[in-house]
Amino acid sequence: MKKTALAVSLGLACLTPLNTYATTYLSAKAMVDVNSGKLIKSPLISIDNGQITAVQSNKQPNLKDGDKHIQLPELTLLPGLMDMHVHLTSDPTVPRSERIGQSIPRKAIKAAHFAEKTLYAGFTTLRNLGAEGYSVIAVRDGINAGDIVGPRIWAAGPSLGVTGGHCDNNRLPPEMKYTAEGVADGPWAVRAKVRENIKYGANAIKFCATGGVFSKGTKVGIQQYSQDEMNAIVDEAHLRGLTVAAHAHGTSGIKAAIVAGVDSVEHVSFVDDEAIKLAKKHGTWFSMDIYNTEYTLAFGEQNGVAEENLNKERQVSKKQRDSFSRAVKAGVNMVFGTDAAIYPHGDNAKQFSRMVEFGMTPLQALQSATINSAKLLKADNQLGQIKNGFLADIIAVKGNPLENIAVLEDVQFVMKDGKVFK
């Protein structure tokens, strides 16, 4: 069976699967309708050429020669999960001082390994927000070509950032004269950098609006790009049909990014009422990684994380979770984004229980990783639901995630484009 070809144009994906079996039928104990929040008993899903052609219940398939019937009588079906913020090239167990010495080909191999691991964890779609040397774009293209196994990926190239900012590399001495490849200063320079990302295959754009936790010498809450620069980045990306993500911990950077028209704000640690009102007014999506702080504070020191970065994590963690609760209560658009790479890839689903703990219902948490993420990617007519006409990205778990969201941490079955991977 051939894998789906994913052609990238204007930031969107041509998601028509290639010919496979005549018909595949998939039945299970139950299915979650993530749109209505209903649990449907005894579903029967019909799949042709990687696309869902019928969703029924309490039916038996009429099998013809060549048809397949996959039976999961003890499991509950859900759409494939989606994580809108990962970094597949990074391994949290490798100290950052060692990562500096890793080549781009080595990072691409890491990314391929972690992509496969994440797919087996039930995440059939990812958005990779920044990687050196266009390495994850190469991995994405390899997955689409059938060379390797992994989720479908929306991939940014090198993250845009100011000189000396969070998306630069400040760990080398000045005589090395090193500048990260995504650095650009000034409105026309950032436009050129967006164009360069697109030239080499990016189908998403990411920039750093504020300082960050894991960079050297940056203050988490301090704005970096000016309003004019952010406006230019977003305008250029939107001209070419790409969505834009802004890394922003600090309040002024969050607001400036929203005003600039970004599609999503990442982290959103220090939010205030005005920022929440702006997000609701503009329809901006918040992507808030509220699990990884636990891993960093528990294992960061033994993984070689510097004390400067651990201190910044301590400053951010509670504030970010408080901001998450406020945003949920206010009804801000929310997607599922974990910043996987700060903690081990494949553990992405551990964030669901924290989202529920800090204010979401299980259904809201599940929607953030399905229909909401599909809307952010502008692919909500093909991804994010088990529905007639949608791609057959389907997972299965034991139990009912609407009652216990933690069951998503142990995915038993993974199908992408109608092909079973687990």
Side-chain angles (χ1 to χ4, degrees):
M1 184 190 302
K2 296 180 180 179
K3 293 184 176 68
T4 296
L6 179 61
V8 178
S9 176
L10 301 179
L12 299 176
C14 178
L15 301 172
T16 304
L18 299 177
N19 188 40
T20 58
Y21 293 100
T23 300
T24 298
Y25 294 96
L26 176 61
S27 60
K29 179 180 180 180
M31 181 190 86
V32 176
D33 182 332
V34 294
N35 190 45
S36 67
K38 294 179 179 179
L39 189 70
I40 298 170
K41 295 183 179 180
S42 301
L44 179 66
I45 316 300
S46 304
I47 300 162
D48 289 299
N49 298 327
Q51 188 174 54
I52 298 169
T53 55
V55 180
Q56 305 173 81
S57 59
N58 296 305
K59 298 283 187 180
Q60 289 297 318
N62 182 18
L63 297 174
K64 304 182 298 294
D65 288 345
D67 290 350
K68 293 177 65 179
H69 184 197
I70 301 169
Q71 302 178 66
L72 306 173
E74 302 300 322
L75 302 183
T76 300
L77 304 179
L78 304 98
L81 302 173
M82 308 168 79
D83 192 335
M84 294 295 97
H85 192 137
V86 304
H87 296 279
L88 290 172
T89 54
S90 295
D91 183 344
T93 66
V94 177
R96 288 174 183 268
S97 58
E98 290 185 29
R99 295 184 210 173
I100 291 174
Q102 289 183 345
S103 67
I104 298 302
R106 180 70 182 96
K107 290 179 179 180
I109 291 169
K110 281 269 192 184
H113 168 66
F114 290 137
E116 183 177 34
K117 189 174 182 179
T118 307
L119 176 65
Y120 290 155
F123 287 81
T124 55
T125 299
L126 301 178
R127 189 174 59 154
N128 195 88
L129 291 183
E132 304 89 340
Y134 302 93
S135 49
V136 174
I137 290 172
V139 171
R140 178 201 68 198
D141 293 347
I143 292 169
N144 297 341
D147 300 330
I148 54 177
V149 170
R152 62 173 49 79
I153 298 174
W154 269 255
S159 299
L160 276 66
V162 302
T163 298
H166 178 63
C167 288
D168 199 355
N169 185 338
N170 304 327
R171 299 178 187 277
L172 297 172
E175 58 266 29
M176 298 288 290
K177 300 186 184 302
Y178 181 83
T179 298
E181 59 190 322
V183 168
D185 301 303
W188 280 109
V190 297
R191 283 185 182 272
K193 189 60 66 173
V194 170
R195 292 169 183 175
E196 183 179 285
N197 270 258
I198 297 170
K199 175 182 179 179
Y200 295 117
N203 57 340
I205 296 294
K206 188 264 190 86
F207 71 88
C208 290
T210 75
V213 170
F214 285 92
S215 50
K216 180 181 179 181
T218 70
K219 295 181 179 179
V220 175
I222 299 300
Q223 182 174 333
Q224 294 181 355
Y225 272 126
S226 69
Q227 187 69 65
D228 286 345
E229 289 169 312
M230 293 190 206
N231 291 349
I233 292 169
V234 176
D235 182 61
E236 188 66 39
H238 283 177
L239 279 175
R240 305 290 292 276
L242 276 69
T243 57
V244 184
H247 159 107
H249 286 284
T251 311
S252 65
I254 294 168
K255 294 175 186 176
I258 294 171
V259 169
V262 296
D263 299 278
S264 68
V265 183
E266 313 301 305
H267 312 302
V268 206
S269 298
F270 303 105
V271 78
D272 63 9
D273 290 341
E274 183 183 7
I276 286 174
K277 289 179 181 177
L278 281 171
K280 294 185 71 175
K281 175 183 176 182
H282 289 265
T284 312
W285 297 93
F286 281 1
S287 170
M288 303 179 72
D289 48 322
I290 59 169
Y291 164 70
N292 58 29
T293 184
E294 297 173 34
Y295 181 87
T296 298
L297 296 180
F299 299 102
E301 185 175 358
Q302 74 182 54
N303 288 342
V305 177
E307 186 60 30
E308 173 194 355
N309 306 116
L310 292 174
N311 280 332
K312 287 197 280 188
E313 184 63 67
R314 295 183 190 107
Q315 295 168 24
V316 166
S317 57
K318 186 179 185 305
K319 289 286 188 182
Q320 188 186 33
R321 289 177 165 190
D322 289 344
S323 293
F324 176 85
S325 298
R326 291 178 65 187
V328 171
K329 186 175 182 180
V332 175
N333 291 337
M334 305 285 282
V335 293
F336 187 90
T338 64
D339 211 0
I342 303 303
Y343 67 92
H345 295 280
D347 285 350
N348 309 57
K350 289 185 177 180
Q351 180 165 287
F352 283 112
S353 63
R354 278 62 174 187
M355 296 171 87
V356 172
E357 179 182 353
F358 292 99
M360 281 188 171
T361 66
L363 178 60
Q364 286 176 317
L366 186 53
Q367 288 174 335
S368 75
T370 52
I371 56 177
N372 289 4
S373 290
K375 287 177 182 177
L376 169 60
L377 296 175
K378 304 186 189 308
D380 52 312
N381 63 335
Q382 290 182 301
L383 298 176
Q385 297 185 62
I386 300 176
K387 186 176 178 180
N388 190 12
F390 280 53
L391 293 185
D393 287 8
I394 302 170
I395 65 170
V397 296
K398 291 181 179 178
N400 181 359
L402 298 176
E403 295 177 349
N404 178 14
I405 196 72
V407 300
L408 295 176
E409 296 175 21
D410 186 17
V411 171
Q412 304 290 307
F413 172 89
V414 177
M415 172 184 279
K416 176 193 164 203
D417 287 335
K419 180 176 179 180
V420 177
F421 287 90
K422 179 179 180 180

